[in-house]
Amino acid sequence: MVSLIAKVGALSFDKPGMVASGIMDETGQSMVRMLGCGAGAVVSKSVGMKPNEGHANPCFTETEGGMVNAMGLPNPGIELFEEEMKVAVPHGKIIGSIYGSGPEEFGALAGKMEDYGACAVELNLSCPHAKGYGMEVGTDPRMVRDIVSAVKSAVDIPVWAKLTPNSHILADIGMAVQEAGGDAVVAVNTLKAMVISPEFARPVLSNRFGGLSGKVLKPVGVRAVYDLRTVLDIPIVGVGGISTWRDAAEYIMAGASAFQVGSAVLTEGPCVFECINEGLEAFMHDYGYGSVSAMEGAAHERGGRSNRECDRGVLRHQDVRVRME
Ligand code: SIN
């Protein structure tokens, strides 16, 4: 018997995949729709103190293996977002994503999300292209510690911190979250990127820079989760380029307790969660993993299986691929 229940600290999710912040989560109705598609939870679009229009078009472009966006954190502001939460919260677990310029704003926003019924808050410490927000505050471990401490003092719900891959001190940032009492880290947000139009001889996006997401990001995210797992004791939620059960299994084996799906909701459609759940369940059944937690960190020597078991796994793996295709 295989269970897809995923535990992230004190929180338990019926399914291990969540909708990542920024896709199909701007309105209450879109969050409700995604909850009905096999996602264990939905992370809201990042919400700030004031309404924000975001960047002018073009703010999105496709690229090989992924996409680059600079939406500019568009949102109605925390006061109006209450209406969306009222619609979504009765239907399932909603994690409230918030962005702020420092500890005070983050604390105030988190308090509101808790009042609105969010089961956890996710601190956006990682948007790669927002002036004064996101990774501009999330790459300084001291600032990260102050923000997480302030939020922990402001709310009783779990506090997750979404980290950037645009840093060579990711482990230090993760440690700052843990030392400040953070309940989990979410790794990773997008990679800072640019696409240039040769014909127009200028960057495609109005903001020039954006964040790279999609399949191309997966090995970066898997590596980040693997590294974080070696230093952190708090749970990790993996995100970045997941569109199949194999991608999800990689993240879990790197050390994630659960995972999020973003770009693939766009490329594969909302049914992507059902496909991942089915594939993961079949894989776990075939390879003798009774639960997501039994698979967690399996690629690490300390948490991994013996070589003999791995060898057996490689052989059987081919059978599974044949069967799945
Ligand atoms: C955006 O709204 O521009 C993206 C948000 C993010 O990368 O965190």
Side-chain angles (χ1 to χ4, degrees):
M1 190 63 184
V2 166
S3 164
L4 283 185
I5 290 174
K7 289 197 179 354
V8 181
L11 289 175
S12 180
F13 300 92
D14 289 346
K15 297 285 182 288
M18 308 167 199
V19 179
S21 179
I23 188 116
M24 291 292 286
D25 54 6
E26 297 87 353
T27 68
Q29 286 301 345
S30 59
M31 291 192 269
V32 172
R33 180 170 175 211
M34 292 313 299
L35 286 168
C37 288
V42 175
V43 186
S44 76
K45 176 70 187 164
S46 295
V47 180
M49 296 297 283
K50 297 260 158 55
N52 178 24
E53 280 192 1
H55 296 313
N57 280 325
C59 51
F60 173 92
T61 186
E62 285 187 70
T63 187
E64 272 175 65
M67 48 196 81
V68 180
N69 88 83
M71 310 307 287
L73 296 165
N75 74 98
I78 194 69
E79 296 299 336
L80 282 179
F81 202 68
E82 180 174 12
E83 294 309 311
E84 310 307 332
M85 293 293 279
K86 266 188 200 159
V87 174
V89 164
H91 296 266
K93 289 197 163 73
I94 306 294
I95 295 142
S97 172
I98 52 177
Y99 70 90
S101 59
E104 210 174 308
E105 278 190 15
F106 270 104
L109 290 161
K112 290 282 185 186
M113 281 295 191
E114 181 173 45
D115 292 347
Y116 300 164
C119 70
V121 277
E122 183 180 282
L123 314 181
N124 184 338
L125 300 174
S126 44
C127 176
H129 51 76
K131 255 236 113 359
Y133 299 106
M135 84 176 198
E136 287 197 9
V137 293
T139 44
D140 172 1
R142 199 175 315 165
M143 178 61 119
V144 168
R145 202 170 285 120
D146 289 349
I147 290 170
V148 175
S149 292
V151 176
K152 284 298 289 180
S153 312
V155 297
D156 291 325
I157 53 176
V159 177
W160 300 1
K162 187 168 182 181
L163 307 185
T164 178
N166 302 289
S167 169
H168 65 286
I169 55 163
L170 184 64
D172 295 344
I173 299 168
M175 283 303 289
V177 175
Q178 178 167 296
E179 283 163 13
D183 297 279
V185 295
V186 181
V188 293
N189 204 326
T190 53
L191 268 176
K192 191 170 182 180
M194 176 185 265
V195 177
I196 289 176
S197 161
E199 290 79 9
F200 291 101
R202 65 175 188 225
V204 170
L205 301 178
S206 71
N207 185 58
R208 294 180 298 138
F209 303 103
L212 176 67
S213 65
K215 284 179 186 296
V216 69
L217 186 60
K218 189 190 67 178
V220 175
V222 170
R223 192 275 306 162
V225 169
Y226 191 95
D227 277 355
L228 286 166
R229 183 72 289 152
T230 61
V231 293
L232 297 184
D233 297 317
I234 56 175
I236 302 166
V237 177
V239 55
I242 297 176
S243 64
T244 67
W245 68 264
R246 295 183 64 84
D247 303 330
E250 278 194 59
Y251 270 96
I252 295 167
M253 290 187 170
S257 309
F259 58 90
Q260 298 179 355
V261 179
S263 301
V265 175
L266 195 67
T267 57
E268 316 299 312
C271 63
V272 67
F273 286 98
E274 296 293 4
C275 293
I276 291 175
N277 292 341
E278 277 172 30
L280 210 48
E281 209 162 22
F283 170 75
M284 288 164 67
H285 176 267
D286 288 350
Y287 280 76
Y289 293 107
S291 63
V292 174
S293 61
M295 209 177 13
E296 186 179 322
H300 290 256
E301 270 173 46
R302 64 184 166 93
R305 297 176 144 200
S306 71
N307 285 341
R308 204 164 56 81
E309 280 173 310
C310 285
D311 287 348
R312 205 191 73 212
V314 169
L315 287 176
R316 293 193 59 196
H317 186 80
Q318 289 161 354
D319 301 339
V320 172
R321 278 193 67 176
V322 170
R323 194 170 57 70
M324 294 301 288
E325 283 157 8

